[in-house]
Each structure stands twice: as structure tokens, then as C-alpha cells.
Amino acid sequence: MPKRRLKDLRFLVTGASSGIGFEIARQLLQRNCRLIVTARRLQNLERLLQFAISEDQIHMVAGDITDAAHRSVLMEKSVEHFDGLDGLINNAGVSGLGRFEDSSPDVLRRVMEVNFFSPVELIRIALPILRKGTKPLLVNISSVLGHRAVPEKSEYCASKFALHGFSDALRAELGNDVSLLLVSPSTTKSDLFDNAVENNSHREWKSENAMTAEAVARKTLQAMTTGKHEIILTLGAKGLVLMDRLAPTLTNKVIQRFG
Ligand SMILES: NC(=O)c1ccc[n+]([C@@H]2O[C@H](COP(=O)([O-])OP(=O)(O)OC[C@H]3O[C@@H](n4cnc5c(N)ncnc54)[C@H](OP(=O)(O)O)[C@@H]3O)[C@@H](O)[C@H]2O)c1
């Protein structure tokens, strides 16, 4: 994947109203990038305005990413405001918490819609526009749980495994024309657990001692600049993925015991 300077590039960032997406958008503004940002909470998106150098640097388009009409509007606005795009950052995501047997088909559908079908369909309509851009780039915010699954997050893990598999296949198809970066954070301080589609879990899900969204965003921008195709953000997560490859039976036992 080629190295790139981020200055003046045009990006669409999904899920930019909080957490990792907000931080990615904020740091891209500091690098003089031009942004289309989206999420459902317009008031939160508007907080990004204070970090813009000029009013024309950022455009907010509020809506639900699972709505195909909204995704089309995002493409129209990118062309209208910036005459195209150089990058798409698929960050919007939701989780479901609790055992699969206590969950419902609706939860599975919702998690897959937000975390898998929406980013993939956004990529489908963005590719013709991106191909005309400067060093075009797709960034998919996945998770370490897209490499190794854990209990009580079956729908979430399934969605991130799907995004991981799709990203590997698409990267190979696109070759040098459009780059694809897969980002796999570990637990990060954000509203993700509080905003779960459903929480049937008896466990307390905390993110206090986790990475900050600011650090995840910083490492993501670094990887975009240096031309990496995949990053796993913590040493613990790298160790888990390696252990799962080398000793899957032992890893299964450890995960079953400690979750
Ligand atoms: N936090 C973690 O521990 C962690 C770890 C690994 C990976 N990740 C991944 O990082 C990404 C960002 O999550 P986060 O931790 O920053 O959580 P977050 O603060 O809850 O952010 C989620 C973002 O997604 C947006 N979103 C959710 N559903 C949407 C929908 N239907 N339509 C449009 N936007 C929607 C939310 O905006 P609105 O509610 O305003 O629509 C929000 O901006 C996700 O893909 C997540 O899976 C997080």
C-alpha cells in the first residue's frame, strides 16, 4: 500500500458522532483534510465544527447508515462539495451483549446490518468515485474480535469476522488501484457497550482501563500515512491472535474459562 500525505485529501467518515470516529474526524481536520461526516446524532457531529479551520472543510450529513437512500446521499454530497473522495473510513458500529441463546433474530440482523452490510454496500457505491481520487483508500474499523471470537458477543464477532474476510478478499481484487486498511482495535473507552443493540449479559462490561479513542485514531492515521494494510493495536491482542493460530485448543479452553 502506498505512503500518503493526508493534507488536503477528501474523506468520508461514518460513525463520527462519538468515540473512535469522532477522534478520527478531529485528527483529520487538524491535518487539513476535507471531510464529509455522518452518524444519526447531528448535534454530536456539529461539535466537530470547532476543530475546522474553515467552514467549507467539513460537511455533516445526519442519517442512519443502514438506510440505502442515506448512503446514496453521502456519495452525492461528496461529489457536490468536494468533487469526489480520496478515502472512505467505515467506522460506524454497534455491539450486542449476552449469550446467543438469550438473544433474538432481530439483534443478529441489526448488528450485521450496521457492522457488515452497510460498510460493504457503502464501498460498492464509493468505489467508482474513489477510483478517480488521489491514492484512494478504504479504511475498515474492525476489531480484534474479528480475529478471535469470545463468548457473549457472538453477533458482534460474526460481523467483524465477516468484515475481516471481506476486506482481505477485496484488497486482493483491488490490487494497487485502491488500498484497503483493516484496523483491529482492542477494547477502547467509548459508548459502544452502553449503546449495545441489546444487553442480556450478567457481566459488567467496562472500558475504563482500555485504550483511548484518541490513541486508536492516532494509530489509524499513522497506518494510513505509512501505507500499512492491517493493524492490530495492542500487544495483548497480537499475542491472543498468535496463540489462537499456534494453540487453538488451549486458546479455546482459556477463553471459555476467562472469557
Ligand atoms: N470501543 C471498543 O472497545 C471497540 C473495540 C474494537 C473495535 N471497535 C469498533 O470501533 C468502531 C467505533 O466504535 P466506538 O467504540 O467509537 O463506539 P461509539 O462511541 O458507540 O461509536 C459508534 C458510532 O457509530 C455510529 N452508529 C451506530 N449505529 C449507527 C447507525 N445505524 N447509523 C449511523 N451511525 C451509527 C454512532 O453514531 P450515532 O449513534 O450518532 O448514529 C457512533 O458515531 C465500531 O465499528 C466498533 O465496532 C470498538
Side-chain angles (χ1 to χ4, degrees):
M1 192 165 116
K3 293 182 180 180
R4 58 177 58 68
R5 286 180 72 226
L6 297 178
K7 187 173 182 299
D8 292 331
L9 294 183
R10 304 158 295 175
F11 289 99
L12 165 58
V13 185
T14 74
S17 60
S18 65
I20 296 169
F22 183 91
E23 268 302 316
I24 288 176
R26 189 182 69 79
Q27 293 182 26
L28 286 173
L29 287 173
Q30 284 180 335
R31 303 267 193 117
N32 266 341
C33 296
R34 289 170 287 163
L35 302 186
I36 303 285
V37 290
T38 187
R40 290 163 300 179
R41 290 169 292 175
L42 179 61
Q43 274 189 334
N44 284 29
L45 292 176
E46 283 171 346
R47 289 195 293 129
L48 283 164
L49 272 175
Q50 63 188 297
F51 304 105
I53 293 157
S54 68
E55 256 188 34
D56 205 36
Q57 198 189 356
I58 182 167
H59 295 275
M60 286 140 291
V61 189
D64 191 320
I65 203 66
T66 64
D67 176 0
H70 172 61
R71 294 195 297 266
S72 296
V73 169
L74 291 172
M75 293 303 123
E76 286 159 22
K77 293 290 174 193
S78 304
V79 173
E80 181 187 322
H81 292 300
F82 299 141
D83 197 27
L85 282 176
D86 305 305
L88 162 61
I89 302 179
N90 277 313
N91 164 79
V94 286
S95 76
L97 300 169
R99 288 170 58 82
F100 176 71
E101 285 174 291
D102 300 329
S103 188
S104 68
D106 286 348
V107 174
L108 177 61
R109 293 266 160 206
R110 185 67 186 166
V111 172
M112 290 300 288
E113 281 294 343
V114 178
N115 294 4
F116 180 65
F117 291 114
S118 298
V120 166
E121 293 305 339
L122 198 53
I123 288 172
R124 194 193 300 279
I125 58 174
L127 273 174
I129 296 170
L130 283 171
R131 282 182 179 282
K132 297 180 198 151
T134 303
K135 293 189 180 177
L137 172 65
L138 294 164
V139 180
N140 289 337
I141 306 295
S142 182
S143 166
V144 65
L145 301 185
H147 293 266
R148 167 67 226 196
V150 297
E152 301 212 22
K153 289 183 181 172
S154 57
E155 295 102 343
Y156 183 78
C157 292
S159 71
K160 295 298 186 180
F161 263 75
L163 190 63
H164 178 178
F166 169 79
S167 299
D168 283 352
L170 185 66
R171 186 187 299 110
E173 286 180 19
L174 294 173
N176 294 330
D177 295 349
V178 181
S179 306
L180 193 154
L181 166 65
L182 184 75
V183 178
S184 299
S186 300
T187 305
T188 306
K189 281 183 208 167
S190 78
D191 299 336
L192 191 73
F193 295 150
D194 295 336
N195 292 340
V197 176
E198 187 173 66
N199 185 352
N200 279 325
S201 178
H202 301 297
R203 292 162 62 171
E204 209 181 333
W205 296 93
K206 285 188 184 161
S207 60
E208 275 107 57
N209 298 322
M211 280 185 86
T212 61
E214 188 275 335
V216 174
R218 186 162 23 85
K219 288 189 178 230
T220 301
L221 264 62
Q222 207 172 39
M224 290 161 67
T225 313
T226 53
K228 295 230 168 78
H229 72 272
E230 176 166 1
I231 50 169
I232 297 176
L233 295 189
T234 63
L235 207 58
K238 285 177 192 164
L240 177 67
V241 172
L242 185 66
M243 182 173 152
D244 192 44
R245 294 278 183 282
L246 298 178
T249 310
L250 173 66
T251 312
N252 279 333
K253 281 185 183 154
V254 172
I255 295 245
Q256 197 176 343
R257 175 90 175 77
F258 300 105

